Amino acid sequence: MEPKAGMRIPVKNLSEKLFGCELPCRGVLRDGRHYPRSILYLGNNAPELIVIGKNPGHMLDGEPRAETYEEWVQWTRECFTQFDERSTKFHINLLRYLNFLLSSAYLEYREAKPRSVRTELFESVFTRVYMTNMLKCSTPDERETFGNLNTELNNCTKTYLDKELSLCGHPPVLCLGGEAV
């Protein structure tokens, strides 16, 4: 299936459906504080690359519950561009690596660390890269193996990931972590 131009509305709709997911998953965190999340794409045309991680990390202190896709994008933008805590090292490195894959421009960590550089990278990268996760909820133990989450994987794949991949067409897929492969 070829992707169509005008991806913002379908991505927004799927993401907002995800926020209200009530599928019967036992091995994940889903309560007043934790909720399903993880789709990010700022482009309007087909992405050049899909990045699939294992599952979203635990909620950060002060992380609001997104009710709309726009709120989710704003929070994610802040995580990638505004925070300077140790926990954002993953975000900075991911921007560096994706920028390199897309443009062959290598940035040292110290070059990518300034907020202004991260902001520019975020916009540049995520208008070309669609980012999602296999599981849409955090797990109590972030090192939980997929082998213990068969129901959750089936629910997420059939309800969300299959639709996401179909929507995006067939660009290359980059899987993060050993289990995402």
Side-chain angles (χ1 to χ4, degrees):
M1 169 187 264
E2 284 301 309
K4 299 179 182 127
M7 288 199 40
R8 288 181 198 220
I9 299 300
V11 168
K12 175 186 182 315
N13 292 342
L14 190 58
S15 184
E16 289 181 358
K17 178 183 175 190
L18 171 64
F19 296 153
C21 179
E22 294 183 7
L23 291 171
C25 298
R26 294 180 308 265
V28 298
L29 295 173
R30 196 178 310 148
D31 53 32
R33 177 158 162 69
H34 298 89
Y35 63 100
R37 64 210 193 284
S38 77
I39 300 170
L40 177 65
Y41 185 60
L42 305 178
N44 197 37
N45 296 315
E48 297 173 37
L49 178 69
I50 298 173
V51 174
I52 303 176
K54 180 179 179 180
N55 64 316
H58 286 157
M59 303 285 283
L60 299 175
D61 289 337
E63 182 172 345
R65 181 180 177 103
E67 299 294 333
T68 67
Y69 182 66
E70 290 80 8
E71 291 172 355
W72 169 248
V73 168
Q74 182 57 37
W75 173 254
T76 305
R77 183 180 281 115
E78 288 176 24
C79 287
F80 274 91
T81 64
Q82 300 302 310
F83 296 158
D84 290 322
E85 294 115 28
R86 185 173 184 267
S87 64
T88 61
K89 188 172 184 177
F90 167 82
H91 295 103
I92 294 170
N93 282 330
L94 184 60
L95 285 174
R96 290 176 51 230
Y97 303 148
L98 293 175
N99 181 64
F100 179 75
L101 286 172
L102 295 169
S103 66
S104 298
Y106 181 78
L107 291 172
E108 293 289 338
Y109 183 84
R110 64 180 162 64
E111 295 173 297
K113 195 168 181 182
R115 291 178 179 181
S116 60
V117 174
R118 286 187 276 158
T119 299
E120 185 178 318
L121 285 173
F122 181 86
E123 299 300 326
S124 171
V125 165
F126 290 112
T127 55
R128 299 169 65 191
V129 174
Y130 184 100
M131 188 171 77
T132 190
N133 287 299
M134 294 288 296
L135 291 174
K136 307 305 183 187
C137 293
S138 298
T139 55
D141 175 6
E142 290 191 357
R143 296 189 175 148
E144 184 72 51
T145 62
F146 280 158
N148 296 330
L149 299 164
N150 288 327
T151 299
E152 293 78 2
L153 274 173
N154 286 332
N155 285 343
C156 288
T157 300
K158 290 177 184 172
T159 307
Y160 300 104
L161 191 59
D162 288 348
K163 290 177 183 160
E164 292 176 82
L165 295 174
S166 178
L167 175 67
C168 292
H170 301 286
V173 174
L174 172 65
C175 297
L176 302 177
E179 281 195 298
V181 177

